[in-house]
Amino acid sequence: ASAPTDPASRYFQASLFYDQAGLAEESVRARSAAFSAVQKAVAARARPSFCTKEHRRSACASCVTISAPARVDFGGGWSDTPPFCLDWGGTVFNMAITLDGAYPIHTIVRPLPEPVVRLVASDATESLTAECFSSTADVGSPFAIHRAALEMLGFVRPGEPIAGLEIRTKVNLPVGSGLGTSSVLAATVLKALLSMRGEDVSVQELSDLVLALEQFMTTGGGWQDQIGGIYPGAKLTMTGPGARQRLRVEPVQCPAGFAERFVLYYTGIRRIAKDLLGQVVGRYLAREVQAVQVLHSIKTLAVEMAYAMKESDWDYLGSLLDRHWQLNQILDPHTTNAPINNLLESVRPYISGAKLAGAGGGGFLMLLAKTPDEAQDLRRFLASLPGPGALYEWAVAPFGLHEVV
């Protein structure tokens, strides 16, 4: 039987043929058709039915505040990403965390008396009327998620008046952290907008919405980031093959011994995941044997990591982190760089394993110390390093994405 993404794969392999033949324009068109086929497959099945129905767009009279944790990904990242997960399903082991004692991701939505949409993110503000509204924004724009969510949920439609609304977001994390920030933020924006409209949404539907939103924005992405923030604590999440990724979430108890050993360090190096995502997706669509083998291997590692945590087998968990880091570098050699390698070499005496969070190349470094005492020594060593790196205090988040009353 053919895989769901075989048509996209044929387009992509045709683009490689055209490229080798020196037919640059044909190659670009075929490559674009490949990625478009994946986006359409996800969007067609991922959007819950309420995205295509008519809704009243007037907001309710009260303000809605949604907060969420960040997530750290131990194993299985990339297996949750289309097109691989559409063919084989994904398996990810991750954890929702607070940082420095607080939930770092927030969205506040409130009605406005005037017919304008006001978007606020950090120090940036943008006001839009019906005449000038567009869902299109640069991927790096602080309002790309806001605009796309408003159009996808039907709050703004071409040629129709706008119900006054303010969306205010705040993220207390560095850009390019690798902690799933953009996907979790998207989940908070979507949840807040739906709550303002008086609609409830299941975890499955909210995850599907984020997946569809990211395809709509052309940034792509899988489901593990939003699931990491929507659900509290540590969990092993699995899906089967198919365009509708049905989530099976198994909570995993985090023993005290883990908190005594796990250290989270911001490297001060920033990397945006979009280009990397395209490279990894391309390797899978090309059906490169090595890439396909790695993606299957990291699914197995995720399950083993969950059992290692359950059994408090910290040396084994550390070795699995190291193995995952090696496999990430096979998928993309740019996952690491000289500063990251130097940092890892300097902390190696203290740790049983480590990997960068998320796509790699920068952001947060996840370190598992050999013992609680060596974890303290590791923190002192990292604190002594010159900036821009920084230690962050973390804790297992007792709540996932939630409304603040």
Side-chain angles (χ1 to χ4, degrees), residues 48-55 153-154 157 197:
S49 59
F50 53 72
C51 285
T52 57
K53 294 178 181 177
E54 290 291 321
H55 289 289
L153 295 181
R157 294 192 181 99
R197 204 159 62 183

Side-chain angles (χ1 to χ4, degrees), residues 48-69:
S49 59
F50 53 72
C51 285
T52 57
K53 294 178 181 177
E54 290 291 321
H55 289 289
R56 59 181 180 86
R57 285 168 289 130
S58 59
C60 66
S62 61
C63 172
V64 175
T65 301
I66 304 293
S67 295

Side-chain angles (χ1 to χ4, degrees), residues 210-223:
V210 175
L211 200 63
L213 181 75
E214 291 180 333
Q215 296 296 332
F216 178 74
M217 293 168 57
T218 74
T219 54
W223 45 255

Side-chain angles (χ1 to χ4, degrees), residues 17-219:
F17 171 80
Y18 287 134
D19 192 49
Q20 290 178 347
L23 301 171
E25 291 184 9
E26 290 82 353
S27 176
V28 169
R29 282 198 295 269
R31 188 177 296 254
S32 177
F35 286 103
S36 179
V38 174
Q39 291 167 3
K40 288 177 181 177
V42 173
R45 296 296 300 275
R47 291 194 190 192
S49 59
F50 53 72
C51 285
T52 57
K53 294 178 181 177
E54 290 291 321
H55 289 289
R56 59 181 180 86
R57 285 168 289 130
S58 59
C60 66
S62 61
C63 172
V64 175
T65 301
I66 304 293
S67 295
R71 71 97 187 93
V72 288
D73 59 316
F74 300 112
W78 288 121
S79 76
D80 65 299
T81 304
F84 178 83
C85 67
L86 307 184
D87 292 341
W88 301 100
T91 304
V92 175
F93 179 44
N94 63 20
M95 178 186 290
I97 60 169
T98 60
L99 291 168
D100 293 335
Y103 288 83
I105 302 168
H106 311 275
T107 293
I108 302 172
V109 176
R110 67 184 183 92
L112 296 176
E114 63 271 21
V116 64
V117 172
R118 183 185 302 140
L119 308 177
V120 183
S122 301
D123 297 328
T125 302
E126 184 175 74
S127 294
L128 302 167
T129 62
E131 292 74 24
C132 69
F133 182 87
S134 170
S135 64
T136 303
D138 294 336
V139 171
S141 165
F143 305 120
I145 290 171
H146 310 58
R147 289 189 181 200
L150 284 166
E151 178 168 317
M152 199 169 77
L153 295 181
F155 276 83
V156 178
R157 294 192 181 99
E160 296 187 21
I162 286 180
L165 198 67
E166 179 184 86
I167 304 177
R168 183 180 294 268
T169 55
K170 185 177 182 181
V171 177
N172 297 319
L173 283 169
V175 175
S177 66
L179 299 185
T181 305
S182 62
S183 297
V184 179
L185 178 63
T188 65
V189 171
L190 291 163
K191 174 65 175 176
L193 287 171
L194 289 168
S195 295
M196 283 292 288
R197 204 159 62 183
E199 295 183 62
D200 197 11
V201 58
S202 70
V203 169
Q204 176 73 60
E205 287 176 324
L206 186 55
S207 176
D208 287 348
L209 269 175
V210 175
L211 200 63
L213 181 75
E214 291 180 333
Q215 296 296 332
F216 178 74
M217 293 168 57
T218 74
T219 54

